[in-house]
Amino acid sequence: MYIVFEGIDGAGKSTQIKLLKEWLEANGYEVETVVEPTDSEVGKLIRRILQRSDATTDRVQKTLGLLFAADRMLIMDKLSDEKKVILSDRSFISSLAYQEPADWIAEINKYAKTPDLVLLLDLDVNKSVSRTSGEDEFENEEFLTQVKENYLEIIKNFNHEIIDANNGVNKVSSDIKKAVASCVGLCPDCIP
Ligand code: TYD
């Protein structure tokens, strides 16, 4: 089972992945977590480039598109472990939402694994901007408004659930558990 968390910066993906992991493990599942960009050499390079002042220019965006696809390729085997539930902080769907053009991004990611479930943590852009450090060039209102719009279109192509990430941590967590429960064979009505 490959479950992917997506959403604009500051949506609370890492907190929610931690909570879902604890809950799944308490229910007897073996869980592995993945974060993109990864801590590989390519991932480290990506994080440096994200902080450049020209990170949102077309030239650097295309470079990032290629690097994200390469970074993802390095973890491909890990995502196919049949015995585990893999929870991933981002996937190639982030590349489709953040980089362009879409057909080229789809082409260079054609070997990426399709998620069994996409959880879109949908947060208001103004909240995103105030929650993030502003360290990365991406963390600005205009850019994130476009990304949020892209997400809502792209996820229609996948088995997905939209989670309102403007709510408090516990409410978001219980909404996520409900969405995941039926997917992994647990009872959705048993979640408070
Ligand atoms: P990170 O600091 O991990 O942000 P967050 O904690 O919000 O996920 O940096 C990831 C940044 O990289 C984030 O702004 C989204 C962007 N990104 C892409 O543009 N394309 C991609 O394919 C991926 C995986 C991330």
Side-chain angles (χ1 to χ4, degrees):
M1 186 72 58
Y2 174 43
I3 301 174
V4 162
F5 284 68
E6 290 286 350
I8 56 174
D9 310 69
K13 295 182 292 298
S14 56
T15 307
Q16 292 301 334
I17 287 175
K18 188 169 163 280
L19 294 172
L20 183 64
K21 180 176 193 281
E22 285 167 7
W23 180 72
L24 285 170
E25 285 174 342
N27 280 284
Y29 291 88
E30 215 180 317
V31 181
E32 177 103 39
T33 57
V34 168
V35 181
E36 290 193 27
T38 72
D39 57 6
S40 73
E41 290 85 345
V42 181
K44 285 180 190 135
L45 176 59
I46 290 173
R47 286 190 191 280
R48 285 214 304 277
I49 294 179
L50 283 171
Q51 290 181 13
R52 285 168 57 139
S53 57
D54 59 355
T56 51
T57 60
D58 186 54
R59 178 175 50 84
V60 180
Q61 279 294 302
K62 293 217 169 34
T63 306
L64 282 168
L66 291 164
L67 291 173
F68 279 121
D71 186 39
R72 196 163 288 135
M73 195 73 90
L74 290 172
I75 54 161
M76 222 164 64
D77 289 356
K78 206 172 163 181
L79 306 182
S80 302
D81 191 331
E82 301 279 314
K83 294 188 298 293
K84 292 181 181 163
V85 179
I86 314 288
L87 302 181
S88 185
D89 188 333
R90 300 192 180 277
S91 70
F92 73 100
I93 296 171
S94 286
S95 285
L96 289 170
Y98 283 74
Q99 279 77 45
E100 50 177 23
D103 55 348
W104 178 67
I105 293 296
E107 176 65 21
I108 61 175
N109 283 281
K110 73 173 176 191
Y111 298 113
K113 190 172 163 64
T114 303
D116 296 298
L117 176 65
V118 183
L119 298 164
L120 178 63
L121 270 56
D122 194 29
L123 180 74
D124 291 347
V125 170
N126 59 350
K127 287 215 178 74
S128 164
V129 172
S130 64
R131 280 186 196 179
T132 52
S133 60
E135 205 174 83
D136 293 347
E137 267 313 291
F138 284 14
E139 293 164 355
N140 74 73
E141 197 156 342
E142 195 189 330
F143 189 80
L144 293 177
T145 302
Q146 183 62 55
V147 172
K148 185 177 153 100
E149 247 174 62
N150 295 345
Y151 264 131
L152 292 168
E153 268 310 302
I154 295 159
I155 56 154
K156 290 179 186 161
N157 300 311
F158 300 93
N159 179 34
H160 72 273
E161 206 66 56
I162 298 173
I163 307 287
D164 187 351
N166 298 295
N167 292 319
V169 174
N170 293 339
K171 166 79 174 125
V172 174
S173 178
S174 109
D175 288 348
I176 288 174
K177 287 171 192 163
K178 281 183 187 131
V180 170
S182 46
C183 200
V184 296
L186 288 166
C187 163
D189 298 327
C190 308
I191 299 150

